[in-house]
Amino acid sequence: MKTIDDLGVAGRRVFVRADLNVPLDSGAITDDGRIRAAVPTIGRLAEAGARVIVASHLGRPKGAPDPRFSLAPVAGRLGELLGREVAFATDTVGESAKSTVGALADGQVAVLENLRFNAGETSKDDAERGAFADSLAALADVYVGDGFGAVHRRHASVYDLPARLPHAAGGLIATEVGVLRKLTDDVERPYAVVLGGAKVSDKLGVIDHLLERADRILVGGGMAYTFLKAQGHEIGASLLQEDQIPAVQGYLKRAEERGVEFVLPVDVVAAAGFPDLSTKAPSEPVTVAADAIPSGLMGLDIGPRSQELYAAKLADAATVFWNGPMGVFEHPDYAEGTRAVAQALIDSPAFTVVGGGDSAAAVRILGFDEEAFGHISTGGGASLEYLEGKTLPGLAALED
Ligand code: ADP
Ligand code: MG
């Protein structure tokens, strides 16, 4: 992959595909981690005298403008973090974009409106995506791919646009790929993986792949209950993906055959219903054994004995990859499991990588120092697919 140093950027219009897809709560940015991760490359290009055009998606608008997903607040925050004025185009390839880009002087930065306000960005139709990529290409002279969180998407700005312009990888993508190589090429053992989050189905591919590579797999979060059910335990009203039980049973069997240690919660924090995440009103959590969750109760976090167990399983690891919160960390009653795993990563001498949009946000929202981890990835799906050994369209497009 070429780097920015291989491109002449001074005086040229440089299209930076960043990933500024940050969580918003009624228009306010709740975690600006991805914006901060994008700053070094954008700042460097501006320093080098480029006319920087920053583009990203935000959320999942339906191919048309939707003010709830405007990048305007993100552009404002980017300006603060860069310490530079940042212009904002109220469309992506229309009159506003053309005039905003046309007005850029060397060293200035503009942000385009949400790429997904155009149906061509995510279209499955090559011609429709290509037409949108043509319009984007007309705005710029060169392309820098730096939106690691989107490289697993075959989208116009990620996959089709770099084919139309001289291109290079930005610093963030270079860093992310360097870290993930350490987890795939010659990983230091013991290699422990912690998986959580809501759904097993999101993580099947990575579990399948890791069964051949990891020494230990620790499971928490909503997905743990499908595992507990697959082992024949009562899980009450906890999250269950019944259709995944056969797959999960297959994994448990393969783990045993291969000598991969599978660690499941021994106790869970449960409640009669899902907590209110907007008011964060106190709920009535109870700790129960993981192999006998009373009917009517919903497991929402791993319990204190599980926290200790997981910490012990991470203490002597040499490499740890963590994806997915251990519980509904957005509510203070169910954040302790996630907090304990984050602390265990910090306390472990291992090289630690946190991957996953929600896990990375959780680490910051719970107040941990990012520097205390080996690496916090900006890509959830992207890092999982990389670990699965898949070809990522946005990386392949930067290769030649
Ligand atoms: P990541 O983005 O890190 O990959 P996911 O998107 O897979 O993580 O999952 C994050 C979500 O999982 C969080 O919003 C969290 O509230 C939810 N979650 C965690 N544990 C549970 C649980 N026991 N029941 C329901 N949802 C859960
Ligand atoms: Mg997520």
Side-chain angles (χ1 to χ4, degrees):
M1 268 191 270
K2 289 202 182 74
T3 68
I4 290 172
D5 297 327
D6 303 317
L7 294 174
V9 298
R12 297 175 90 187
R13 297 170 302 164
V14 181
F15 187 103
V16 181
R17 190 1 170 145
D19 174 15
L20 307 177
N21 180 29
V22 292
L24 293 177
D25 189 356
S26 11
I29 299 164
T30 54
D31 174 45
D32 66 2
R34 281 183 165 158
I35 309 176
R36 279 185 287 120
V39 161
T41 296
I42 296 168
R44 227 182 107 205
L45 289 166
E47 287 297 318
R51 304 175 180 201
V52 190
I53 307 158
V54 182
S56 175
H57 70 287
L58 177 71
R60 292 175 185 259
K62 301 268 173 283
D66 179 339
R68 290 174 303 161
F69 299 109
S70 173
L71 275 169
V74 171
R77 183 74 185 124
L78 177 64
E80 287 168 18
L81 291 165
L82 269 175
R84 285 172 185 271
E85 205 178 306
V86 168
F88 183 67
T90 56
D91 58 28
T92 315
V93 290
E95 288 315 314
S96 176
K98 286 177 199 156
S99 63
T100 306
V101 170
L104 285 177
D106 295 357
Q108 289 187 333
V109 179
V111 173
L112 304 180
E113 186 51 287
N114 195 336
L115 290 160
R116 291 192 187 166
F117 286 1
N118 305 267
E121 170 66 0
T122 61
S123 176
K124 297 263 183 287
D125 177 43
D126 291 350
E128 191 185 7
R129 262 197 346 267
F132 182 50
D134 285 339
S135 309
L136 291 171
L139 291 172
D141 304 306
V142 295
Y143 176 93
V144 171
D146 212 29
F148 180 72
V151 291
H152 58 315
R153 307 286 186 203
R154 188 179 287 266
H155 290 169
S157 66
V158 176
Y159 178 72
D160 304 272
L161 182 55
R164 288 164 166 74
L165 293 171
H167 50 257
L172 178 61
I173 281 196
T175 303
E176 295 270 13
V177 169
V179 166
L180 290 172
R181 280 214 183 107
K182 282 207 214 176
L183 298 183
T184 44
D185 292 355
D186 50 343
V187 58
E188 269 191 66
R189 300 187 177 280
Y191 177 21
V193 177
V194 191
L195 294 173
K199 290 184 173 168
V200 187
S201 51
D202 291 347
K203 320 267 157 119
L204 289 179
V206 79
I207 297 172
D208 189 67
H209 202 74
L210 288 169
L211 277 172
E212 309 295 323
R213 286 163 183 82
D215 300 302
R216 258 171 229 161
I217 302 178
L218 286 56
V219 177
M223 64 186 274
Y225 303 94
T226 301
F227 278 88
L228 292 167
K229 181 81 177 177
Q231 288 186 325
H233 302 310
E234 290 304 325
I235 60 163
S238 308
L239 198 64
L240 171 66
Q241 283 190 289
E242 192 124 41
D243 55 331
Q244 304 297 342
I245 288 180
V248 162
Q249 281 168 336
Y251 292 148
L252 290 168
K253 187 157 166 277
R254 244 171 79 206
E256 208 173 297
E257 286 161 7
R258 299 195 55 85
V260 176
E261 194 181 357
F262 237 99
V263 187
L264 291 171
V266 289
D267 58 351
V268 305
V269 182
F274 202 82
D276 189 331
L277 299 185
S278 49
T279 63
K280 312 235 192 298
S283 58
E284 286 178 28
V286 290
T287 299
V288 297
D291 59 1
I293 301 173
S295 68
L297 286 193
M298 181 184 285
L300 295 165
D301 195 11
I302 61 170
R305 283 202 299 127
S306 309
Q307 292 166 27
E308 266 178 50
L309 173 68
Y310 286 23
K313 297 288 179 192
L314 298 175
D316 65 342
T319 306
V320 180
F321 174 71
W322 173 28
N323 169 283
M326 294 292 98
V328 182
F329 74 93
E330 296 92 336
H331 191 287
D333 288 346
Y334 309 101
E336 283 313 306
T338 301
R339 191 189 302 279
V341 164
Q343 190 62 52
L345 258 69
I346 292 173
D347 294 342
S348 163
F351 174 60
T352 57
V353 179
V354 183
D358 290 291
S359 343
V363 159
R364 290 186 286 260
I365 290 166
L366 296 176
F368 288 98
D369 175 10
E370 286 175 74
E371 302 300 315
F373 299 88
H375 179 70
I376 299 186
S377 175
T378 54
S383 55
L384 288 178
E385 290 196 19
Y386 189 100
L387 293 186
E388 280 170 44
K390 288 192 184 159
T391 298
L392 306 184
L395 295 183
L398 297 176
E399 277 305 336
D400 42 73

